[in-house]
Structures are given as structure tokens and as C-alpha cells.
Amino acid sequence: MGATGGRPATGEIQTALVKVHLAGVCSTDLQILKGYMDFAGVPGHEFVGSVSEGPSDWIGQRVVGEINFGCGSCENCRRDLSRHCPNRSVMGILNADGAFAEYVSVPLANLYAVPESVSDEEAVFTEPLAAAFEILTQIQLNPGDDVLVLGDGKLGNLCAQALRLSGAKITVLGKHADKLALIKKAGVRTMLLSDWQPRLFEVVVEATGSASGLELALSTVRPRGTLVLKSTIAGNHRVSLAPLVINEITVIGSRCGLFPPALDALREKRISVTPFIEKIYPLHDGIEAVSHAARPGTRKILLEP
Ligand SMILES: [Zn+2]
Ligand SMILES: [Zn+2]
């Protein structure tokens, strides 16, 4: 079983029906519910479940699923970059129903078996964790490299934990003492923005999702360093590009990642995710769950159908 195992040569897409065990509410869902992407359908793209309909060798298998459904035949799909397929649908975001439901339909090629030692409560974080690991497929980090992660939310936390596995020296800068404490518990150095003494870093990861974070990120990359943009900051920004040219900064846009490195890290217990969980709501209390998730400072809200 794996990323390409379920795709027949004809390019026709085989799907499985997955019974959802847990689904995570993320900030993208909150934006979608406010109208982002003009999506009309069932939201939810972070899930763990088990296959209830599909090929016989998959039935009952606990799975997580990559969220970009490629066409299977374009140039990007053939290069294993279905997450950049121009004709893709995206679970719970674009032209495909998502996981805030009892069942969700997912192409077999997108499904990954969850190792037995990984609980549902851990596996439901595979998607955001894979996005964090994506950075390591885009840039080479070496032991001792000085890396700054801006933002102490879930994304910043997961990025810091993933990047730390490279041996680089990670510092997370954030505004919230409680969130920074959670990151510190996972073994990463942290700093409150109010204690910040400006200095320059080899690599800066922007994970705040705010325009002010972007500005701070730009001012902390050292000449010839790398700026990784990890949060899609909706809306337009006025950012001067001159410093990027003058300081010869490499800018990397980074979005979704492949699941295997994230699942491996969860299986090896190298990443801690369950402290994020604030509350698990039954699916029929979804409205209440979403409004809880929208409250500032809330950790992860999960839905259980
Ligand atoms: Zn998400
Ligand atoms: Zn395609």
C-alpha cells in the first residue's frame, strides 16, 4: 500500500470510502466557513479513519489521507507532484467533500496505512505535520544551523519539532507564553517577542500568518540566507522586495507535504502532538466545536463522528 499503489494504468481514479474516526478543525476550515475559496461542500481535511468500502485488502485498515486529489495523468501528477496538479480537487477545500462527516471518499492513491503504535489522536495530526516536514524536502538544513521559527501556533510548533530533527539549532519566537511553554516542553528553545533582541539567522520560517510576522521575518534573515513562507497570509500585502535583492535572500514558498516522513516520525515518537488537543466534540456538536476553535488561544479541536 502506498502513494501510487491504487492507481490503474488507465488513469481512472479508484477511491475508497473511509469511516472517519477523528477529524481536526484547522484555521483553514475557519477561513473556508467565512467564505475563503468559495467552497460549498463538507469541510475538513485533517482526519484518521478506517476503510469501509474499497479493495478487499484495504477493508478495515486504519488510514490517513493526503488531501490533494490529482487527475493522475498530467505532467505534475506523473512527476509525483499531484499536490500541484492544475486540475486537482482538494479535500474539504476545493471540489471535494471533506472529513467533517461520518464517511469521506478518498482516492486510494492518497491513503496511507497508520502504524499500529500510532493512536488516532496522534494520526489526526499527520496532515499538518507533513506540511512541516515539507520544508526539509525543500531546503538542506545542517546540524548547528541557526534557524528562527516565527509563530508559536500549531504550525510554528510542528515546524520547530520537525526541523529540530535535522540537528539545526531552532528558536521559536512568539507572543503567547502558554503556547511557547508547550513548544519548550517538546525540547525547543523559545523566546517571547517582548524579550526579543534583534539578530540575524541563516534560515527564518514565517509561520504567524500575519503581515507583521512577514515583516519581522524579512528583517531577521542574514545576507544569503533563506526565508521560508509557511503560512498563506490571505489578502494583499505591501512588502518591499528591495531587501531581498540587496541581501540576496532565497525565498521558499512551502505548503503541503507527503505523509510518510510525518507518519515515520509519529511512529518513532520523535514528535509530540497530543498536548495540542484541547477538546474532542461529537460531530453533531460541530457548530459549537467550530466556534470554540475560532476563539483566540484555542489549541486543537477534534470532531468525532
Ligand atoms: Zn489544515
Ligand atoms: Zn494532474
Side-chain angles (χ1 to χ4, degrees):
M1 287 177 247
T4 52
R7 185 176 294 146
T10 59
E12 192 189 309
I13 304 225
Q14 270 191 293
T15 60
L17 193 66
V18 176
K19 183 174 177 17
V20 178
H21 296 179
L22 286 174
V25 180
C26 99
S27 53
T28 306
D29 300 312
L30 300 177
Q31 287 182 24
I32 280 172
L33 292 166
K34 282 194 224 152
Y36 172 64
M37 298 291 293
D38 282 331
F39 176 69
V42 179
H45 55 274
E46 301 175 2
F47 75 97
V48 56
S50 53
V51 174
S52 71
E53 276 175 39
S56 56
D57 53 335
W58 281 87
I59 301 291
Q61 174 65 56
R62 219 152 50 92
V63 290
V64 287
E66 286 174 1
I67 69 173
N68 293 280
F69 304 166
C71 70
S73 51
C74 73
E75 201 188 324
N76 283 330
C77 286
R78 286 202 305 269
R79 285 166 61 212
D80 234 0
L81 285 172
S82 58
R83 58 198 191 282
H84 292 290
C85 170
N87 308 311
R88 70 182 180 275
S89 46
V90 186
M91 181 195 291
I93 296 174
L94 179 71
N95 294 329
D97 277 335
F100 295 169
E102 267 178 84
Y103 293 90
V104 62
S105 176
V106 185
L108 274 185
N110 289 57
L111 293 180
Y112 290 87
V114 176
E116 232 164 79
S117 62
V118 177
S119 68
D120 281 350
E121 285 79 5
E122 291 171 308
V124 74
F125 288 94
T126 307
E127 194 273 332
L129 185 57
F133 272 101
E134 174 74 353
I135 299 171
L136 290 172
T137 71
Q138 297 178 288
I139 61 170
Q140 166 84 36
L141 277 187
N142 298 307
D145 279 354
D146 221 0
V147 178
L148 179 68
V149 175
L150 285 176
D152 51 20
K154 283 156 271 201
L155 184 62
N157 187 326
L158 292 176
C159 286
Q161 290 195 63
L163 298 185
R164 187 177 61 124
L165 300 178
S166 68
K169 282 192 298 176
I170 315 291
T171 304
V172 176
L173 182 61
K175 285 181 183 167
H176 311 91
D178 55 333
K179 291 183 179 184
L180 290 173
L182 204 64
I183 294 169
K184 209 169 177 180
K185 245 192 187 160
V188 177
R189 193 187 348 244
T190 62
M191 189 172 281
L192 257 177
L193 188 57
S194 51
D195 299 334
W196 171 241
Q197 314 221 324
R199 67 180 182 94
L200 299 179
F201 291 78
E202 203 92 43
V203 175
V204 176
V205 178
E206 201 298 307
T208 68
S210 70
S212 60
L214 183 58
E215 264 164 48
L216 182 58
L218 278 167
S219 69
T220 50
V221 194
R222 92 172 198 206
R224 287 264 172 139
T226 303
L227 171 60
V228 180
L229 301 179
K230 200 59 221 179
S231 42
T232 37
I233 305 166
N236 298 317
H237 315 287
R238 297 173 75 90
V239 173
S240 168
L241 298 180
L244 298 178
V245 177
I246 293 164
N247 295 318
E248 300 191 326
I249 306 298
T250 302
V251 179
I252 307 266
S254 181
R255 187 177 47 114
C256 299
L258 298 171
F259 278 22
L263 279 173
D264 283 349
L266 288 173
R267 181 172 45 79
E268 290 159 6
K269 309 294 172 204
R270 296 166 82 188
I271 304 268
S272 146
V273 289
T274 47
F276 282 124
I277 299 173
E278 178 145 328
K279 192 168 174 185
I280 301 179
Y281 282 87
L283 181 62
H284 58 78
D285 290 338
I287 304 289
E288 194 188 333
V290 164
S291 67
H292 185 171
R295 269 180 243 151
T298 304
R299 283 170 291 141
K300 182 61 93 183
I301 297 296
L302 298 175
L303 292 171
E304 187 173 23

